Structures are given as C-alpha cells and as structure tokens.
C-alpha cells in the first residue's frame, strides 16, 4: 500500500507543481529510506512495548504503571534528544547522525533483553529514545520537508505512513515472537533486526543539493512566516502535547484493554495492526488534504475525528466489533501526526527546521509519554480504562481549542485563507 501511494503521489505531485521536473529524483530514495527507518525505529519506541506489558508484569510482578514507565522514559528520551540532535543535524547533516542513532538504538534493544531491574529498562529506554529516536524522527521529517519543495504534505504523509506501518507491525510481530521465544528472545531478535535494517538505510540519507548554499540562505531569510516564531513554536508545542496525550492511550492500552476482556494477545495485536495499517492510508490522505486546504485545517479535521471517537473504545466488547471500530478510528486518527508535521513545516523556516521541529516534537513525545502513563495509572487506581480514555478525549478537545484559535489568529493577521 505504501508503494502504491508513493507511485501515485509521485505522478500527481510532478503533474501538479509547475517546475517540479527540476526536483531531483533522489528525493524519492530519501523518502523511501525515511519511511522504512521510521517504521522500524518509531514502531518500537511509540507503542512497541504494548505487547510486553503483561509478560513483564507476570515475569517480575511489577505494577502496570511501573512497566508503562519504560515507554514513558523512551518517549522522554525522544523528546529531549530531538531538541539536541536537531541542532547537530542543522550543522553537520543527517547521514552521520542517522548512522550513530541506528547503532545506539539497536544496542539498547539488545541489552534490554538481559535487563532484570526496572531502572535498567528505564535507562536503556531513555538512551534508545535520546540517541536513537531523537535523531530518527524530527531530523528525518525535516529532511523530507526540505527535499520536497512542492507537494510536501503528500511526501510527509507518506513518510509518517511508514511510521504507522511500524506502529502496527512491530507489536504484531513481537506478539508472535514472545509466544515463540519468550519476551527476552523476542527483544533480542528485535534488536538484531533493528541493526540490520537501520544501518544500510541510514547510508542512503543525503541532504538536498541546495542545502547550505548562499541562495538557500538568502531565500530562507526572505521566507515569510504566518506567525512570529516566538509565538507559533510554543503555541503549536502546547497543542501537540494535548493531541498526542489523546493519541497515546489506544496505542499503548488497546491491547491490554482487549486482553482484560478475555481476548488473546495475538488477536488484540491483530486489531492494533489492522488499525495502524488503515492508518497508512489515512496519513497519506491527510497529507494530500493538507496540500489542498492547508495544514492547520487538515490537522484540525483529523484531531476532531480522533477526539470524538477515542472514548468509544471502552464501549466495544467483541473481537469483531473491535476490528470494525479500529478501521473507522484508524483512518482519521492517523491524519493527526501528518497534521502535526505539515503544520510544523508550515510555521518554521527551512534553515532552522530540524532544530525547531525537534522542539515542537519534543512536546508531542511528552504527550505520548503522559498519555501512556496516565492510562496505566488510572487503570491501577480504578481497575478499568474508563477514566483513562475519558482523559484522552478531554486532551483532544483542548488541542482543538488551541488550533482553532491559531487558525483564526493567522487568518485575521493576514486577512486571507491559510494556504499550504
């Protein structure tokens, strides 16, 4: 599906954009490498722990909230790493940073297979997020945005679709590995696969030929922005903190929610995998939508879809119903991450994009961390997921309020509709 979307997007983008024939063809190689790297790396860091929650709970007797903190530490690592590494990438380029990140992440996952204490899991997860995920998300998305001067929404949608494949595929595959090898064997296997996949892909990364040129610097200096950076960056950061708090709850707690209703881990992983495969189409579709109606309206449309539907996971009880609802929810929720990314690109100048995206996406990952942790915390306190999912819906509503106000402010400031 990703390949079909990629081919279709190539034809449409080249036909739609005047002068796009001058865009280097290598940008599609970069896009494919980024999509696959995000699938492997972010599939593990965002919600790959979800199928390990109950095995670790049973193996060590730890409370579920303590186990969920492993994921929280990883996402905080991604958040802070993105800020630091984004600045480095702006100075030395993406490839060398990507290679170091690939090696560090694989090493941490392999070492986690031998961990015996919570502090070891927390430390390794944080380092994996800081050095690995911090260098493999915001900088790679910024790289795609810089390569695609035309049709950036579609390109970023395809890149984030790769992440969606990983968020479904990694837990789905890990569930079978756990059944076959135990949780330690499964984690060791994941680490080896991570190394074998990410390092060759990182070798394909390259900055666009105009990166760092005097002409590019002059163009960036003259680039008009819809809002001053001192206003837009913190504003969007707070909004994505809220939207990702909402998003994280089903990503981390759909599998345990279903297991609590007597559904096996493999079947629950299949529902999550289905939801995230549907999300591939959603991410591409909302990226294309952003090219037509503007990034902020597309972001808000996806956020509304997610916010309205998220609580209803707690009202579904049969495996068949979970599959149906996951398909409906998955397509719209998927557009949220694409919306965040294209909006961040829209609000930031090219020469500072990696570092500023690192700041904005730091709040996104903190939202993921907060959402995943509060989901487990309120489950431990109440014995159900009702409050956890209600909190998710409330966070989504707050994000809509912030983004609606931003859209109104930009339109009033410029007196014209917001364009992509």
């Amino acid at each position: 599906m990703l390949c079909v979307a990629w081919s279709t997007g190539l034809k449409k983008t080249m036909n739609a954009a005047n002068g796009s024939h001058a865009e280097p063809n290598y940008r599609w190689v970069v896009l494919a490498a980024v999509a696959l790297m995000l699938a492997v790396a972010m599939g593990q860091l965002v919600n790959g722990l979800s199928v390990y929650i109950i095995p670790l709970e049973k193996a060590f007797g730890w409370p579920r909230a303590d186990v969920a903190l492993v994921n929280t530490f990883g996402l905080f690592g991604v958040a802070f790493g993105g800020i630091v590494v984004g600045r480095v990438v702006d100075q030395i380029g993406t490839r060398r940073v990507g290679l170091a990140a690939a090696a560090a992440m694989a090493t941490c996952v392999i070492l986690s297979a031998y961990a015996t204490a919570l502090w070891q899991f927390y430390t390794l997860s944080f380092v994996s997020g800081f050095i690995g995920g911090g260098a493999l998300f915001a900088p790679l998305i910024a790289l795609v945005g810089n390569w695609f001067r035309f049709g950036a929404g579609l390109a970023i949608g395809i890149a984030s679709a790769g992440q969606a494949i990983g968020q479904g595929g990694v837990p789905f595959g890990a569930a079978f590995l756990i059944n076959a090898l135990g949780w330690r064997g499964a984690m060791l296997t994941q680490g080896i696969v991570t190394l074998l996949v990410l390092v060759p892909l990182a070798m394909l990364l390259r900055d666009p030929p105009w990166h760092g040129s005097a002409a590019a610097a002059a163009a960036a200096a003259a680039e008009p922005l819809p809002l001053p950076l001192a206003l837009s960056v913190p504003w969007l950061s707070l909004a994505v903190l809220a939207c990702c708090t909402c998003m994280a709850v089903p990503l981390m707690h759909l599998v345990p929610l279903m297991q609590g209703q007597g559904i096996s881990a493999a079947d629950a992983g299949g529902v999550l995998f289905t939801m995230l495969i549907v999300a591939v189409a959603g991410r591409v579709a909302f990226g294309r939508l952003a090219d037509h109606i503007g990034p902020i309206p597309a972001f808000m449309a996806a956020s509304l879809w997610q916010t309205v539907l998220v609580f209803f996971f707690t009202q579904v009880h049969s495996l068949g119903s979970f599959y149906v609802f996951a398909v409906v929810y998955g397509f719209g929720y998927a557009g949220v991450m694409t919306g965040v990314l294209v909006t961040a690109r829209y609000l930031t100048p090219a020469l500072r994009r990696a570092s500023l995206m690192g700041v904005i996406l730091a709040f996104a990952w903190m939202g993921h961390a907060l959402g995943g942790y509060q989901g487990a915390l309120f489950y431990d306190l109440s014995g159900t997921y009702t409050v956890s999912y209600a909190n998710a819906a409330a966070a989504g509503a707050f994000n809509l309020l912030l983004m609606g106000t931003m859209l109104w402010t930009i339109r009033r400031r410029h007196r014209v509709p917001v364009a992509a």
Side-chain angles (χ1 to χ4, degrees):
M1 183 178 293
L2 181 59
C3 293
V4 173
W6 181 15
S7 176
T8 303
L10 170 60
K11 294 176 182 177
K12 290 183 177 180
T13 301
M14 291 186 71
N15 291 335
N18 292 330
S20 63
H21 61 277
E23 295 280 279
N25 288 332
Y26 195 79
R27 71 196 191 281
W28 295 102
V29 176
V30 171
L31 176 57
V34 167
L36 292 172
M37 292 181 78
L38 292 181
V40 174
M42 305 315 295
Q44 294 181 75
L45 284 167
V46 176
N47 65 311
L49 183 72
S50 61
V51 292
Y52 287 93
I53 288 178
I54 289 179
L56 290 175
E57 192 177 32
K58 289 181 177 178
F60 296 103
W62 297 326
R64 189 166 299 185
D66 289 350
V67 177
L69 272 176
V70 176
N71 177 257
T72 300
F73 272 89
L75 293 176
F76 273 116
V78 177
F80 295 119
I83 296 173
V84 175
V85 178
R87 294 180 181 274
V88 175
V89 169
D90 280 338
Q91 299 298 320
I92 69 171
T94 310
R95 181 187 294 172
R96 283 181 288 177
V97 174
L99 285 168
M105 184 173 185
T107 300
C108 288
V109 177
I110 290 170
L111 291 176
S112 294
Y114 301 97
T116 57
L118 271 172
W119 71 266
Q120 295 169 343
F121 283 105
Y122 294 160
T123 302
L124 290 169
S125 184
F126 181 84
V127 173
S128 178
F130 188 92
I131 301 178
L136 294 177
F137 191 75
L140 294 190
I141 292 296
L143 181 67
V144 170
N146 289 339
W147 269 99
F148 284 80
R149 294 178 291 186
F150 303 98
L154 176 62
I156 290 173
I158 293 172
S160 64
Q163 178 189 342
I165 292 174
Q167 286 180 223
V170 169
F172 184 64
F176 287 96
L177 287 174
I178 291 169
N179 286 338
L181 305 173
W183 72 265
R184 290 189 187 276
M187 199 165 283
L188 177 62
T189 302
Q190 280 187 218
I192 294 171
V193 170
T194 298
L195 184 66
L196 295 177
V197 173
L198 290 186
V199 170
L201 289 173
M203 293 296 295
L204 298 174
L205 300 178
R206 185 184 302 169
D207 292 310
W210 52 84
H211 180 78
S213 68
E223 184 180 356
L225 295 175
L227 289 173
L229 290 175
L231 180 62
S232 63
V233 171
W235 196 335
L236 182 59
S237 297
L238 184 59
V240 300
L241 175 71
C243 82
C244 290
T245 297
C246 176
M247 182 189 298
V249 175
L251 287 176
M252 279 301 298
H253 295 287
L254 177 57
V255 171
L257 171 69
M258 295 177 66
Q259 287 179 279
Q261 299 186 25
I263 297 171
S264 71
D267 285 337
V271 171
L272 182 64
F273 183 61
T274 299
M275 184 178 86
L276 290 166
I277 288 300
V278 172
V280 173
R283 291 195 181 206
V284 175
F286 276 91
R288 193 64 179 164
L289 181 65
D291 285 334
H292 286 287
I293 69 172
I296 297 178
F299 179 22
M300 292 184 65
S303 297
L304 180 64
W305 192 310
Q306 170 182 263
T307 300
V308 169
L309 294 180
V310 68
F311 179 76
F312 290 96
F313 275 112
T314 63
Q315 308 304 304
V316 181
H317 303 291
S318 68
L319 180 60
S321 298
F322 271 115
Y323 268 109
V324 172
F325 189 74
V327 169
V328 175
Y329 176 84
F331 182 84
Y333 116 86
V336 173
M337 202 64 200
T338 299
V340 168
L341 298 173
V342 295
T343 300
R345 179 189 183 276
Y346 167 65
L347 294 172
T348 58
L351 292 184
R352 297 181 59 194
R353 189 161 290 143
S355 56
L356 291 174
M357 272 194 164
V359 173
I360 294 165
L361 293 175
F363 285 85
W365 298 124
M366 285 189 280
H368 271 285
L370 176 61
Y373 179 69
Q374 73 85 24
L377 176 64
F378 283 99
Y379 175 86
D380 285 342
L381 292 173
S382 65
T384 74
Y385 275 115
T386 302
V387 176
S388 303
Y389 279 79
N391 288 340
F398 183 57
N399 165 61
L400 283 168
L401 175 63
L402 288 172
M403 292 311 301
T405 307
M406 177 184 282
L407 181 64
W408 177 83
T409 301
I410 292 174
R411 287 181 169 173
R412 186 181 182 198
R413 182 184 180 94
H414 296 280
R415 301 294 183 185
V416 293
V418 178

